[in-house]
Amino acid sequence: MKKLFLILFVSIANFLLAGTDPYIRITVAKDGSGDFTSIQKAINSIRDLGPSEALVFIKVGTYNEKITIPSSKHKITLEGENKDNTIITNNDFSGKTDPFNEKMTTFNSYTLLVMGDDIKVSNVTIQNSSCNEGQAVSLHVEGDRFVIKNSNILGCQDTIYSATNHSRQYFENCYIEGTTDFIFGQATVVFKNCTIKSLADSYITAAATEADRLYGFVFFDCKLIAREGITKVYLGRPWRPYAKTVFINTEMGKHILPEGWNPWKGDKMFPDKEKTAYYAEFGSKGKGGNTSKRVSWSHQLTKKDLKNYTIEKIFNDWNPNK
């Protein structure tokens, strides 16, 4: 009986442990030593609506690809070998002529488009090498429960498009750089321990949060830096009237303007957005963290307010670290 119990216990334990492992592992390598030389081909090979996580390990190399993870592909993890030397790059931009002789827009200028749910990315560089030619998105995310960690996201205008009202996205230990509105969109997004570099005198965020959402972009323990000579940067401006952006315990360089936020005047379709946008800070520090001259329509959170800014509440009980 003891032997039977032991066998049963081991079987159950193995079953439970197996449930946490990827059901398939694919290696991508430029030199042909893996299963594929193309990241897109590796993604295409994964079964639609697969049973559990599919792991795509990407070896060091520069992958000149425009990649799409469609909505039929979910629970995929893209894991690079080294974030600085595992590079996914493209150079499309708004206004560029596509293969059908039509002009691209911001929304199809991406290097990596994520439409599937439960996609994870780590240890890679995602880059749109186009700069000052038009809006040029590096990372465009529409799927829900998206996680990216320990990665570089590089671009100029519109680097990260956190799209769609239903999408929840989590960025941790990432380096993000851009010029204008380089973190923008409708999604609910948390940035944790990220370094954010402004490459021009402009705006960091352009949220388009919809009226029914309690949270837009929330930054925890991040660091705002700038290229040398950059001195006039706003924390954000509202792309749409109910934009929500909050910085908590963020170190801000001297490039951040004392007023902090811009109302985006001149938008005839959506005038007076400062009346409905919600911009707030708590514990801002550094030379740009002095909040005494912030615009009157922004907010300073109290310690009591912080109880509403937990991962669980922001993401409605989804835990991105599980």
Side-chain angles (χ1 to χ4, degrees), residues 49-67:
L49 304 178
S52 60
E53 180 191 12
L55 175 62
V56 179
F57 179 72
I58 309 166
K59 287 192 173 183
V60 164
T62 298
Y63 297 84
N64 296 94
E65 297 189 54
K66 186 180 183 75
I67 297 170

Side-chain angles (χ1 to χ4, degrees), residues 134-151:
Q135 294 92 337
V137 174
S138 294
L139 175 63
H140 177 156
V141 180
E142 298 185 3
D144 193 21
R145 298 182 299 273
F146 172 80
V147 176
I148 182 167
K149 296 183 178 183
N150 304 316
S151 293

Side-chain angles (χ1 to χ4, degrees), residues 257-260 290-296 298:
L257 287 163
E259 56 266 44
N290 185 340
T291 60
S292 62
K293 295 182 180 179
R294 293 292 195 249
V295 291
S296 60
S298 66

Side-chain angles (χ1 to χ4, degrees), residues 14-187:
N14 287 337
F15 174 79
L16 292 173
L17 289 172
T20 64
D21 291 334
Y23 83 97
I24 187 172
R25 297 172 185 265
I26 300 169
T27 298
V28 180
K30 292 284 290 185
D31 61 7
S33 62
D35 302 297
F36 294 93
T37 57
S38 158
I39 300 168
Q40 185 67 67
K41 287 183 178 180
I43 292 167
N44 293 347
S45 75
I46 297 169
R47 182 172 182 171
D48 290 345
L49 304 178
S52 60
E53 180 191 12
L55 175 62
V56 179
F57 179 72
I58 309 166
K59 287 192 173 183
V60 164
T62 298
Y63 297 84
N64 296 94
E65 297 189 54
K66 186 180 183 75
I67 297 170
T68 298
I69 302 178
S71 59
S72 60
K73 309 286 185 183
H74 67 177
K75 300 178 182 177
I76 294 174
T77 295
L78 302 182
E79 180 183 328
E81 184 176 6
N82 178 289
K83 73 174 182 179
D84 295 318
N85 297 306
T86 307
I87 302 168
I88 306 167
T89 184
N90 193 53
N91 65 346
D92 287 341
F93 57 91
S94 178
K96 180 179 178 179
T97 303
D98 68 15
F100 300 99
N101 204 33
E102 296 181 353
K103 288 190 175 180
M104 292 184 176
T105 69
T106 303
F107 309 106
N108 59 10
S109 66
Y110 58 83
T111 295
L112 172 60
L113 169 63
V114 177
M115 301 177 74
D117 294 339
D118 299 300
I119 305 300
K120 297 179 181 179
V121 179
S122 63
N123 302 326
V124 299
T125 290
I126 304 165
Q127 178 187 41
N128 192 323
S129 61
S130 172
C131 197
N132 299 323
E133 297 175 285
Q135 294 92 337
V137 174
S138 294
L139 175 63
H140 177 156
V141 180
E142 298 185 3
D144 193 21
R145 298 182 299 273
F146 172 80
V147 176
I148 182 167
K149 296 183 178 183
N150 304 316
S151 293
N152 303 315
I153 306 119
L154 313 179
C156 284
Q157 185 171 355
D158 292 1
T159 304
I160 296 173
Y161 180 28
S162 290
T164 72
N165 188 37
H166 78 280
S167 180
R168 292 168 291 180
Q169 305 173 20
Y170 182 73
F171 292 68
E172 183 178 294
N173 295 329
C174 289
Y175 171 84
I176 302 162
E177 68 176 26
T179 56
T180 298
D181 303 334
F182 59 97
I183 300 173
F184 74 110
Q186 309 100 300

